[in-house]
Amino acid sequence: MTLSFGTRLRSAMDERGPLCVGIDPHAALLDSWGLTDDIAGLERFTFTVVEALAGTVAVFKPQAAFFERFGSRGVAVLERAVADLRAAGGLVVMDAKRGDIGSTMAAYAEAFLRKDSPLFSDALTVSPYLGYGSLKPAVDLARESGAGLFVLALTSNPEGAEVQRAVREDGRTIGATMLAHLAEENAGESPMGSFGAVVGATLGDLSSFDLDINGPLLAPGIGAQGATPADLPAVFGAAVRNVVPNVSRGVLRHGPDVSALRASADRYADEIRAAVDA
């Protein structure tokens, strides 16, 4: 029987530390590594990160768009990276932010959440802004496959507020509504559910939102975007132990030196653990 994503995530975070490293091979980062913005550069970048971190970091978040821009050859690199990361014990959250309705949403889910898919990932980021119910094909397949979802709820980009903090007729914001749906998905699960929210670490005081969804909170924004590990308790309050803090440029800028990448990831993991356990 396949263990749920929530169970596997809790175990990985307890063992390796609560850190998610984003894998974002955009052109500027490839250039800073002295690499060309082509398949050769993409491969060198990606598999250097895999070599440096796959055996020690709990969670990885490859951004699918930076691989898709190279067409089928880029997707092939992504497939290999996902397989290598998972084989080394890392969990993969595919950052694809898929969102649609009906059979199209089902097809997106099958691409990343069906066990025999070349891109099968431990979890997938999804957008609920065609209505939370539109995510049902992904929710159902995630449950069947022992995978998880991270639903965009309170994102750190300034534009997000015009939708996520809009108030419904019942007085709840859209973001709060998404959190409530996720709490329902995770009800009764132990040690935590598999259906998480994306909540920006740069958002400051979120005490007006109920972040206790009994599921993981993927928290981008640490490092280059300005948030620090020390900020996590103030932002997430009592839910901080379920936070999966994502760091991308803060770690990746130390490449292509494998030792420097590993040292940076270790340092962030230690700082996050200290902040969460304080």
Side-chain angles (χ1 to χ4, degrees), residues 90-184:
L91 300 183
V92 174
V93 175
M94 185 61 68
D95 193 1
K97 298 184 178 69
R98 297 303 195 243
D100 215 303
I101 60 172
S103 59
T104 308
M105 188 67 239
Y108 280 139
E110 288 172 6
F112 299 103
L113 300 173
R114 195 185 71 238
K115 278 194 168 181
D116 61 353
S117 169
L119 282 168
F120 176 72
S121 303
D122 297 283
L124 172 69
T125 61
V126 290
S127 174
Y129 295 109
L130 289 172
Y132 184 84
S134 67
L135 299 179
K136 188 175 187 302
V139 171
D140 290 347
L141 187 53
R143 288 193 188 280
E144 178 184 329
S145 301
L149 298 177
F150 283 99
V151 176
L152 303 179
L154 295 168
T155 58
S156 55
N157 63 305
E159 303 87 349
E162 71 181 62
V163 174
Q164 297 155 18
R165 299 197 185 229
V167 179
R168 294 163 25 118
E169 291 183 357
D170 63 5
R172 284 197 306 188
T173 64
I174 301 298
T177 300
M178 298 307 158
L179 293 168
H181 282 304
L182 292 168
E184 292 177 8

Side-chain angles (χ1 to χ4, degrees), residues 40-276:
L42 179 71
E43 288 183 326
R44 173 72 184 281
F45 174 91
T46 302
F47 294 108
T48 298
V49 174
V50 172
E51 176 189 352
L53 304 179
T56 57
V57 169
V59 185
F60 295 89
K61 185 175 71 65
Q63 169 48 256
F66 292 125
F67 295 85
E68 292 170 348
R69 69 193 183 101
F70 293 104
S72 61
R73 294 175 69 193
V75 173
V77 173
L78 180 58
E79 291 175 359
R80 286 167 49 204
V82 169
D84 289 355
L85 290 165
R86 298 189 74 242
L91 300 183
V92 174
V93 175
M94 185 61 68
D95 193 1
K97 298 184 178 69
R98 297 303 195 243
D100 215 303
I101 60 172
S103 59
T104 308
M105 188 67 239
Y108 280 139
E110 288 172 6
F112 299 103
L113 300 173
R114 195 185 71 238
K115 278 194 168 181
D116 61 353
S117 169
L119 282 168
F120 176 72
S121 303
D122 297 283
L124 172 69
T125 61
V126 290
S127 174
Y129 295 109
L130 289 172
Y132 184 84
S134 67
L135 299 179
K136 188 175 187 302
V139 171
D140 290 347
L141 187 53
R143 288 193 188 280
E144 178 184 329
S145 301
L149 298 177
F150 283 99
V151 176
L152 303 179
L154 295 168
T155 58
S156 55
N157 63 305
E159 303 87 349
E162 71 181 62
V163 174
Q164 297 155 18
R165 299 197 185 229
V167 179
R168 294 163 25 118
E169 291 183 357
D170 63 5
R172 284 197 306 188
T173 64
I174 301 298
T177 300
M178 298 307 158
L179 293 168
H181 282 304
L182 292 168
E184 292 177 8
E185 301 286 3
N186 294 324
E189 296 293 329
S190 179
M192 67 176 169
S194 300
F195 298 94
V198 179
V199 178
T202 57
L203 294 178
D205 182 8
L206 293 176
S207 59
S208 61
F209 292 92
D210 185 0
L211 299 178
D212 185 12
I213 62 170
N214 190 34
L217 301 169
L218 182 63
I222 292 177
Q225 293 183 49
T228 70
D231 296 327
L232 294 173
V235 177
F236 294 95
V240 72
R241 190 166 182 270
N242 286 348
V243 171
V244 185
N246 178 74
V247 181
S248 296
R249 281 171 288 175
V251 171
L252 300 179
R253 65 185 177 86
H254 295 281
D257 184 280
V258 166
S259 296
L261 285 166
R262 192 171 293 146
S264 179
D266 288 346
R267 183 168 59 254
Y268 270 110
D270 288 345
E271 291 177 3
I272 291 166
R273 186 186 286 109
V276 168

